[in-house]
Amino acid sequence: MTRIAVLISGSGTNLQAIIDAVAAGKLPGVEIAVVVSNRKTAYGLERARQAGIPTEYASLGAYRRAGGTRREYDKDLADMLQNRYKVEWVVQAGWMHLFSMAFLKHYPGQVINLHPALPGIFPGMHAIERAWHAYRRGELGHTGVMVHLVPDEGVDDGPVIAQQTVPIHDGDTLESLEARVHETEHRLLVRALRELLCQT
């Protein structure tokens, strides 16, 4: 059994896609060992609880208020995942925190990130909104989604596992484009995890 941690910061729709895929047997041999959020009110924590999955709230702000550093936070989080939950792979599914090497060195080649843009385009935050505005300026005709490994502290630029183009239509609003990108994320993330983690 391959034990994964899913890291979230928000509503957890991509987490739900993984939960559903595991329940349906589409990710054979994969177990969600824990769901971690850096936001206490993230609805993804409730999704995990409803599925009977352990949860952890890990606040960087609390570390900083206590005089700690980002690197100490990263190290302690990695230690918790390894020692308490025996996690082998880490999946960032809407996790709004850029890890330092203090975390990544504990999981070399074993951190997976989902990003709502194609490789090399719109790294960082607000990628869907930036793509929509670029389309309205006539600068591009599509956006996309990628799943990639996180080997270092670069932003959304690790080795690509899977990618898929998402067209932008003339009648699109930002909301309709976001919905289509998120639907693509759910499918692509599960497909990438199956290809990477499942041997059957």
Side-chain angles (χ1 to χ4, degrees):
M1 189 67 70
T2 300
R3 294 173 62 81
I4 68 172
V6 182
L7 277 50
I8 63 163
S9 296
S11 65
T13 59
N14 285 297
L15 164 65
Q16 190 67 57
I18 300 172
I19 291 172
D20 293 345
V22 169
K26 295 179 180 178
L27 291 172
V30 173
E31 177 184 3
I32 305 173
V34 63
V35 171
V36 180
S37 176
N38 57 357
R39 295 180 181 171
K40 192 172 186 178
T41 58
Y43 184 68
L45 291 172
E46 180 60 26
R47 293 179 189 273
R49 294 185 192 108
Q50 291 177 5
I53 300 168
T55 63
E56 294 282 352
Y57 165 55
S59 169
L60 176 59
Y63 265 71
R64 288 179 167 162
R65 288 190 293 274
T69 68
R70 172 182 165 222
R71 292 182 61 83
E72 289 170 336
Y73 169 90
D74 286 358
K75 177 186 179 299
D76 287 350
L77 180 54
D79 286 345
M80 178 184 70
L81 295 182
Q82 287 186 321
N83 298 325
R84 188 181 305 174
Y85 293 101
K86 310 302 180 188
V87 166
E88 300 165 79
W89 287 82
V90 176
V91 180
Q92 299 180 151
W95 172 252
M96 306 306 290
H97 172 76
L98 184 65
F99 279 129
S100 68
M101 293 307 298
F103 182 95
L104 296 172
K105 70 180 181 181
H106 293 274
Y107 285 99
Q110 295 164 287
V111 177
I112 301 163
N113 185 53
L114 173 69
H115 184 62
L118 294 173
I121 305 173
F122 305 124
M125 297 179 66
H126 309 300
I128 303 173
E129 182 178 353
R130 290 153 65 194
W132 186 70
H133 285 299
Y135 174 81
R136 289 172 60 85
R137 293 192 300 266
E139 296 171 1
L140 49 74
H142 63 270
T143 184
V145 174
M146 70 168 172
V147 181
H148 66 95
L149 295 176
V150 184
D152 53 37
E153 297 176 11
V155 179
D156 300 318
D157 65 354
V160 176
I161 303 166
Q163 61 181 301
Q164 185 172 333
T165 297
V166 177
I168 305 176
H169 304 311
D170 286 343
D172 267 332
T173 62
L174 176 57
E175 290 74 20
S176 66
L177 178 60
E178 286 176 337
R180 196 158 56 256
V181 169
H182 292 325
E183 289 172 3
T184 303
E185 286 179 329
H186 302 162
R187 294 192 303 269
L188 192 68
L189 180 56
V190 170
R191 190 184 88 194
L193 292 177
R194 184 167 58 245
E195 292 175 358
L196 191 62
L197 304 182
C198 302
Q199 302 301 314
T200 59

